[in-house]
Amino acid sequence: MRTLRNNLGLLAFIGLAGLLELVFRHELDPYYYKILVDVGIAVTLAVSLNLINGITGQFSLGHAGFMGIGAYVAASLSTLGIVPALARAGCPPALEGLVLALSVGVAVVVGGVCAALAGLAVGVPTLRLKGDYLAIATLGFGEIIRTIILNTEAVGGPRGMSGIQPLSSFFWVWAWAGICVVVIWRLAHSVKGRAFYAIREDEFAAAATGVDTTRYKVIAFVLGSFFAGVAGGLLAHSATGYINPSQFDTLKSIEIVVMVVLGGLGSISGTVIAAVVLTVLPEALRGFADYRMVAYSLLLILIMLTRPRGLMGAREAFHVWKRLPQ
Amino acid sequence: MSPLLEIESATVEFGGLRAVDALDLRLEEGEVVALIGPNGAGKTTVFNAITGVYPLSRGAIRFAGKPIHNLPTWRTNRLGIARTFQNIRLFRNLTAFDNVIVAFNRRARRDVGGTLFRTAAAEARRREIFKQAGELLDWLGLADAAETCSADLPYGKQRRLEIARALATKPRLLLLDEPAAGMNAAEKADLAILLDRLRGELGLTLLIIEHDMKMVMANCPRIVVLDHGQKIAEGAPVEIQRNSDVIEAYLGEKPKEN
Ligand SMILES: Nc1ncnc2c1ncn2[C@@H]1O[C@H](COP(=O)(O)OP(=O)(O)OP(=O)(O)O)[C@@H](O)[C@H]1O
Ligand SMILES: [Mg+2]
């Protein structure tokens, strides 16, 4: 069927991630495995922020806050809820692994939904603000989230949470990255989705063209927050099994903004490339030892000087949006 | 039958400044009316009031019988009012084609599943909208500009594209703010033909702000003159040309007292 054919690419991508998982789990050095997981999470974070900052033009500095909500909700659910419940229920050992994986998968989604609800609560009042004001409001939101976590003893406060099930495999992380990219791509490239770009270009003209601008800004914010929450949940369940509030501070938000800007505001493929490069780069620069971050910063400056509008500008790496043959 | 647009003693104030002062204006369906007046007379403010950008401090605006002066801008468009801008406001980094596609927002079906899974039905609807957008650009002589970034188009084509984008929202009333500004003689002649087609082929009602008097006199059977926010004259071109208040307002022979 036609519909199936249109989704074959995503299915093939997820299948490939599954196959690679089987190989990588045993054959790949855990150090490289971890980098690949980090890259997948970074892609999800950067592409979801790109929907808000790059495509819709609403400058948010609170992405790490939504990520933190997802991380802590998912980790609390799995560590404080699911794992003890399974132990009490006395699940047959043959099934336990599967049940655990599935319920943690659900916990990650719930984390994303909670982040999305927070996005709704924050977005409705603040999206009326423009430019710098929105940036400051979202920055404040991120700090509030971090402070709340910091002072919640049940989730470890400043010590963080440890002993989280390390179930975020290469497969899950990249399956989510694939879903995030495809969902945002298709939304942004649909007829109604062109409204996101129109708001970035000229909000007033978009409204005069019949676009309910508030609605689209809120959709961008909520959907972007959802994927940030999912990325947070995946991070919480990665190999270290440990999270703490400082992982979700403003610096983290800025790191994600840098990926979006470097990729080219609004370019989805550019953002993916930037997320990969900026995650791998610090590792590749380990040879510089103490000067690692200096080299990293110099490279950033160099890229922005040579490509002031980001790696891709506003374009995509491959031009898909064109008139289809009739 | 009620008129298509009915403005009743509408007043718009900015602080102490009364930009539009107790304006009355009625437009019947299919009319072509010019709104003229010296710089700062309040013409653009009238457009902004009609499209819900500024609230009225007094009065009312009705469109097809419905009060619209408390509606947000996007709703006035959905009801059938489209406009262009004095300073062109295209979506500059989007192609001409995408500028028009944005305006199909209202006509596109809301179908999240279809969009995310690219179902055959949703794709067919998208192709249909692409076809209509292509035809619209063609109708306005912009077919060859479709894939060009709108900011890179020559000035005359940018003005045309703004009209194309407005038309894509399927309006009944089209508000044009100085459509001939910055155009050369040939472009103005083309514009006059276009105005004729908008009324003749599409049956639109037009309200046009324009400083080019030749253009106004030749294309608009009725003219409304605004000065300091007030309507100082209204009538056919010949009447307006002879009206002493109008001549005074334009030449500014004696300062207005009020
Ligand atoms: N947003 C605003 N805030 C304050 N004053 C405004 C605003 N918009 C318009 N004005 C003032 O209202 C008056 C009318 O402006 P308007 O733009 O409607 O004039 P206009 O007739 O369109 O003039 P022009 O021919 O120069 O375009 C001017 O004095 C202008 O300075
Ligand atoms: Mg004006």
Side-chain angles (χ1 to χ4, degrees):
Chain A
M1 204 169 88
R2 184 82 191 263
T3 307
L4 181 68
R5 213 176 60 203
N6 289 341
N7 292 288
L8 230 47
L10 177 62
L11 292 176
F13 178 84
I14 293 176
L16 180 68
L19 275 179
L20 287 176
E21 167 68 27
L22 294 178
V23 179
F24 288 168
R25 194 187 312 178
H26 303 295
E27 305 297 328
L28 196 68
D29 187 301
Y31 171 67
Y32 292 112
Y33 188 93
K34 178 184 176 301
I35 292 177
L36 287 179
V37 167
D38 287 350
V39 169
I41 292 175
V43 166
T44 309
L45 283 171
V47 171
S48 59
L49 183 66
N50 188 37
L51 175 63
I52 301 170
N53 278 26
I55 293 177
T56 318
Q58 306 301 304
F59 204 88
S60 165
L61 273 175
H63 218 50
F66 297 108
M67 189 191 176
I69 292 176
Y72 271 88
V73 168
S76 306
L77 273 178
S78 71
T79 314
L80 307 175
I82 295 166
V83 172
L86 279 182
R88 271 198 308 277
C91 201
L95 275 178
E96 198 174 325
L98 184 68
V99 174
L100 188 66
L102 285 179
S103 39
V104 166
V106 173
V108 167
V109 173
V110 172
V113 170
C114 288
L117 291 175
L120 186 67
V122 174
V124 170
T126 57
L127 284 171
R128 257 175 296 154
L129 303 172
K130 302 230 171 341
D132 307 347
Y133 300 103
L134 179 64
I136 290 166
T138 50
L139 183 108
F141 160 77
E143 282 303 298
I144 289 171
I145 293 300
R146 199 177 60 88
T147 312
I148 291 175
I149 297 171
L150 209 56
N151 291 296
T152 306
E153 223 16 74
V155 293
R159 281 171 286 111
M161 258 179 118
S162 54
I164 306 165
Q165 290 288 326
L167 288 172
S168 296
S169 59
F170 171 89
F171 167 72
W172 279 114
V173 166
W174 279 94
W176 272 111
I179 291 169
C180 174
V181 169
V182 167
V183 164
I184 289 176
W185 177 278
R186 290 187 172 179
L187 195 67
H189 289 77
S190 68
V191 171
K192 278 192 180 291
R194 285 280 127 172
F196 294 113
Y197 296 88
I199 290 169
R200 174 190 74 190
E201 294 294 311
D202 188 331
E203 195 174 334
F204 175 33
T209 310
V211 172
D212 181 354
T213 51
T214 309
R215 180 189 163 81
Y216 281 88
K217 286 195 283 184
V218 169
I219 290 174
F221 212 68
V222 168
L223 188 63
S225 303
F226 169 76
F227 281 115
V230 166
L234 292 168
L235 177 79
H237 290 86
S238 66
T240 49
Y242 170 71
I243 48 173
N244 72 66
S246 69
Q247 284 170 289
F248 311 106
D249 61 3
T250 303
L251 220 58
K252 181 68 190 180
S253 291
I254 292 173
E255 195 184 297
I256 310 166
V257 169
V258 169
M259 289 174 185
V260 173
V261 173
L262 192 83
L265 279 170
S267 168
I268 295 173
S269 47
T271 305
V272 172
I273 295 168
V276 174
V277 170
L278 291 187
T279 311
V280 173
L281 201 60
E283 303 298 333
L285 292 173
R286 276 190 189 281
F288 288 88
D290 287 349
Y291 295 100
R292 188 161 71 114
M293 286 327 281
V294 176
Y296 176 83
S297 308
L298 282 177
L299 269 172
L300 279 188
I301 294 171
L302 195 72
I303 296 176
M304 286 326 286
L305 282 177
T306 49
R307 303 214 56 124
R309 305 195 59 199
L311 290 170
M312 299 302 305
R315 287 185 310 271
E316 293 296 350
F318 41 95
H319 189 64
V320 177
W321 173 264
K322 56 181 177 234
R323 283 201 270 177
L324 300 174
Q326 285 156 22
Chain B
M1 225 188 72
S2 62
L4 184 64
L5 181 75
E6 191 176 15
I7 301 178
E8 209 176 84
S9 60
T11 299
V12 177
E13 285 167 320
F14 299 115
L17 177 79
R18 211 169 264 181
V20 176
D21 193 355
L23 177 71
D24 287 304
L25 182 64
R26 290 162 65 98
L27 260 70
E28 301 296 334
E29 183 118 43
E31 262 196 304
V32 176
V33 176
L35 185 60
I36 68 169
N39 289 113
K43 306 179 295 293
T44 299
T45 306
V46 171
F47 276 19
N48 284 333
I50 296 171
T51 54
V53 181
Y54 300 135
L56 301 183
S57 52
R58 237 165 311 125
I61 303 178
R62 279 182 291 276
F63 182 73
K66 263 192 245 141
I68 59 165
H69 48 273
N70 285 321
L71 295 181
T73 302
W74 71 275
R75 280 212 172 277
T76 64
N77 177 268
R78 294 279 167 118
L79 288 176
I81 303 173
R83 66 178 289 183
T84 65
F85 299 91
Q86 186 169 351
N87 312 305
I88 300 174
R89 299 185 75 145
L90 289 167
F91 308 126
R92 296 176 56 81
N93 288 308
L94 302 189
T95 62
F97 186 74
D98 279 349
N99 265 271
V100 171
I101 286 292
V102 171
F104 276 83
N105 193 281
R106 160 197 192 180
R107 281 193 262 173
R109 172 108 63 98
R110 181 179 300 161
D111 175 8
V112 177
T115 301
L116 296 187
F117 292 107
R118 295 237 161 125
T119 58
E123 286 297 279
R125 283 199 299 271
R126 181 165 83 148
R127 266 195 300 279
E128 174 58 27
I129 284 181
F130 278 19
K131 194 168 131 252
Q132 290 175 15
E135 285 166 1
L136 180 62
L137 286 174
D138 216 20
W139 195 80
L140 281 147
L142 289 167
D144 56 335
E147 295 306 324
T148 309
C149 184
S150 65
D152 297 336
L153 289 173
Y155 187 80
K157 289 202 170 175
Q158 290 195 15
R159 284 235 174 258
R160 248 168 206 267
L161 180 57
E162 255 203 333
I163 295 176
R165 185 178 67 182
L167 291 180
T169 66
K170 282 232 162 146
R172 291 169 75 187
L173 170 65
L174 183 58
L175 311 173
L176 299 169
D177 200 342
E178 303 197 17
M183 285 191 170
N184 60 35
E187 285 169 334
K188 280 181 188 170
D190 282 347
L191 177 64
I193 295 170
L194 177 61
L195 294 180
D196 222 45
R197 291 170 72 205
L198 291 176
R199 199 192 45 76
E201 291 178 35
L202 302 181
L204 286 180
T205 309
L206 303 177
L207 183 59
I208 306 171
I209 297 175
E210 187 47 68
H211 281 299
D212 184 323
M213 284 309 134
K214 243 172 76 190
M215 184 98 200
V216 169
M217 299 297 165
N219 294 287
C220 307
R222 182 153 74 93
I223 299 173
V224 173
V225 189
L226 221 55
D227 190 26
H228 292 94
Q230 289 174 328
K231 182 161 80 179
I232 57 168
E234 180 169 10
V238 276
E239 296 164 346
I240 296 299
Q241 275 167 327
R242 285 198 302 258
N243 188 303
S244 61
D245 286 344
V246 175
I247 296 167
E248 204 174 277
Y250 269 93
L251 300 180
E253 274 162 355
K254 72 172 195 214
K256 271 250 54 96
E257 63 269 313
N258 58 335

